Amino acid sequence: MKFNWPAESIWEQIQPVWPDFTIDIVSQTDSTNTQLLQRIRSGQTAPVMLVAETQTAGRGRMGKAWASQAGDTLMFSLAAPLNPEQHGLSLVLGCAVITALDTIGQKLKIKWPNDIWYAQPDPNTGQNLWHKLVGILVETILYGRQRYAVIGIGININPPPQQSTYHTPPGYLKQLDPRWDAPSALACVAPHVAQAVYNFNTHGLAPWQQSFAQKDLLAGNRLYTSNGIQGTGAGIDLHGNLLIKTADGLKTISSGEVSVRPC
Ligand code: BTN
């Protein structure tokens, strides 16, 4: 499959934010996140975006594999300096991706901390089912005295292999609008993501709180966490921690290694 990647236009939009920014596009790698972490470890710390048409060892949150097939998923990572005093980057990224996909953005919600889902009526039952469209993996690394974020984003374009143990099949962009493909999704999303990281380093989560509240899939819904908490989503606190109303009062969950699912 031949892709027409908008590398130059993306570079032109991001270079004013980071003058030493570069973008690389490869046909295959193990994992774009793994590659960018290795670059930073070897001292290559300038902001960089790596897009891969295929990944042989894609990684998801909590040590899970992220499966994909060439052309079915947009896969890219961005490595950039991170202000370690700010919290909630993954929520800001979710908001930025939804804003970037604006023609369909109003259908999309963020499932804390950083998945993007949408609801679609089940053709058999008419009941609304939630489908995961975007996965985001944020990893951080210290080099010298500076912390860096490596932000990996996977967006399903066509129906992908089952990526997780969720009960509903994954969602994909072409289901929402058949005009999307991987290059057009990258063209929309990449500049928004870079700008969001840059702004986050200065202003943190605060300017995004309202945007997140409008996109919060869990707010007001019954949910349970992988560490055994059940309750109702009650938004986030100032640091981006999830708030859950439970029978024993309000619980605060930090993103770490907890997964949350709507009941
Ligand atoms: C998740 O849903 O658990 C996060 C999935 C993140 C997948 C993307 S694809 C590009 C980047 N490279 C990886 O190996 N993972 C991320």
Side-chain angles (χ1 to χ4, degrees):
M1 194 176 293
K2 186 95 186 83
F3 297 93
N4 192 7
W5 294 107
E8 197 164 325
S9 130
I10 290 172
W11 179 81
E12 279 169 3
Q13 291 174 77
I14 299 180
Q15 190 266 343
V17 174
W18 290 303
D20 48 354
F21 171 79
T22 54
I23 175 165
D24 285 353
I25 296 178
V26 296
S27 61
Q28 183 169 310
T29 190
D30 50 358
S31 150
T32 52
N33 264 46
T34 303
Q35 286 299 315
L36 293 193
L37 287 168
Q38 274 171 12
R39 283 195 203 189
I40 293 170
R41 266 185 219 112
S42 72
Q44 298 173 66
T45 57
V48 58
M49 186 168 285
L50 178 62
V51 183
E53 293 173 356
T54 322
Q55 289 189 139
T56 53
R59 297 189 290 108
R61 280 186 73 230
M62 297 193 289
K64 291 185 186 145
W66 171 268
S68 59
Q69 274 162 214
D72 287 346
T73 313
L74 168 63
M75 292 159 283
F76 72 98
S77 300
L78 171 69
L82 177 70
N83 178 350
E85 287 172 12
Q86 306 287 15
H87 301 279
L89 176 61
S90 68
L91 307 179
V92 168
L93 293 168
C95 291
V97 171
I98 290 182
T99 304
L101 297 172
D102 73 336
T103 51
I104 53 159
Q106 49 297 25
K107 287 191 161 205
L108 306 179
K109 297 279 182 195
I110 301 170
K111 188 178 78 62
W112 184 95
N114 51 4
D115 290 344
I116 297 177
W117 292 56
Y118 62 88
Q120 193 87 334
D122 181 337
N124 298 320
T125 63
Q127 191 199 348
N128 253 353
L129 292 181
W130 285 96
H131 305 278
K132 175 170 165 176
L133 175 68
V134 181
I136 302 176
L137 174 66
V138 179
E139 298 178 292
T140 75
I141 177 171
L142 198 62
Y143 183 80
R145 291 182 166 192
Q146 175 66 53
R147 186 156 287 279
Y148 295 87
V150 174
I151 296 153
I153 300 187
I155 305 182
N156 300 328
I157 307 294
N158 291 301
Q162 190 79 29
Q163 283 155 342
S164 70
T165 50
Y166 290 116
H167 305 301
T168 53
Y172 52 100
L173 273 185
K174 280 192 193 281
Q175 187 173 45
L176 298 174
D177 184 337
R179 288 171 296 182
W180 285 105
D181 57 16
S184 62
L186 182 72
C188 286
V189 169
H192 277 264
V193 166
Q195 190 68 54
V197 176
Y198 183 82
N199 293 349
F200 172 83
N201 280 335
T202 311
H203 304 293
L205 176 62
W208 298 85
Q209 288 270 4
Q210 201 184 344
S211 170
F212 179 80
Q214 289 160 356
K215 301 172 177 62
D216 185 353
L217 167 60
L218 299 175
N221 286 322
R222 296 285 303 162
L223 57 86
Y224 64 96
T225 69
S226 55
N227 60 348
I229 296 172
Q230 287 207 28
T232 304
I236 54 169
D237 68 12
L238 291 175
H239 302 291
N241 298 312
L242 177 67
L243 301 173
I244 307 178
K245 250 187 246 160
T246 73
D248 303 326
L250 199 62
K251 302 259 182 227
T252 303
I253 310 286
S254 63
S255 102
E257 296 296 281
V258 176
S259 75
V260 182
R261 295 187 189 184
C263 295

